[in-house]
Amino acid sequence: MSSVQIADQTFLAAPASDVAELVGDTRRQRSWFPGLTLTVQEDRGEKGIRWTVAGELTGTMEVWLEPMLDGVVLHYFLHAEPVGVSTPDAHRRRVAGKTMSFEIKALLERGRAAGEPPVRAVR
């Protein structure tokens, strides 16, 4: 078992294709996950993406997009070991995953009134 085990989920009232586009943006990935180098292991399109992780941690990370109601549930998983550090900083990585989820949510739900269907946001 990996010493860093993170699983989280966030509902986004947005089309899976829009969420997948943002999750796959390498510029955003670098800002969300500093200190990590992500290599695409499997790009699943509207179902999400899987990476191998190197840098401060080594292991795997995944974003799985599960269709739900009028949007998707973004599931975030990180399974890794710290490199050259005696104790993992799981809290920092958990916050990074939430930051990613909430940034995407804010971008894609901007201008959408509660209870209204998703609208395509301008990025």
Side-chain angles (χ1 to χ4, degrees):
M1 182 159 102
S2 302
S3 52
V4 177
Q5 293 276 334
I6 298 171
D8 191 53
Q9 59 188 17
T10 304
F11 176 77
L12 293 92
S17 58
D18 291 354
V19 177
E21 181 181 334
L22 291 173
V23 168
D25 182 338
T26 55
R27 285 177 306 125
R28 292 180 192 278
Q29 291 168 6
R30 284 190 295 275
S31 71
W32 293 327
F33 307 109
L36 299 182
T37 301
L38 306 181
T39 302
V40 175
Q41 183 179 9
E42 184 179 6
D43 185 342
R44 301 174 62 226
E46 292 184 13
K47 293 182 180 182
I49 190 166
R50 293 180 179 136
W51 300 273
T52 57
V53 177
E56 294 175 3
L57 300 172
T58 59
T60 62
M61 186 165 69
E62 177 178 2
V63 168
W64 167 43
L65 303 175
E66 177 186 17
M68 185 71 57
L69 302 171
D70 60 351
V72 296
V73 175
L74 184 154
H75 299 272
Y76 165 68
F77 304 99
L78 175 63
H79 306 282
E81 294 295 332
V83 174
V85 180
S86 59
T87 58
D89 188 359
H91 175 74
R92 186 175 121 207
R93 299 303 174 177
R94 187 172 291 108
V95 169
K98 233 3 162 182
T99 299
M100 170 196 60
S101 299
F102 285 163
E103 182 179 315
I104 293 171
K105 185 174 186 67
L107 284 168
L108 295 180
E109 292 184 7
R110 180 178 42 221
R112 175 189 164 270
E116 293 297 319
V119 294
R120 183 163 176 98
V122 177
R123 293 180 279 290

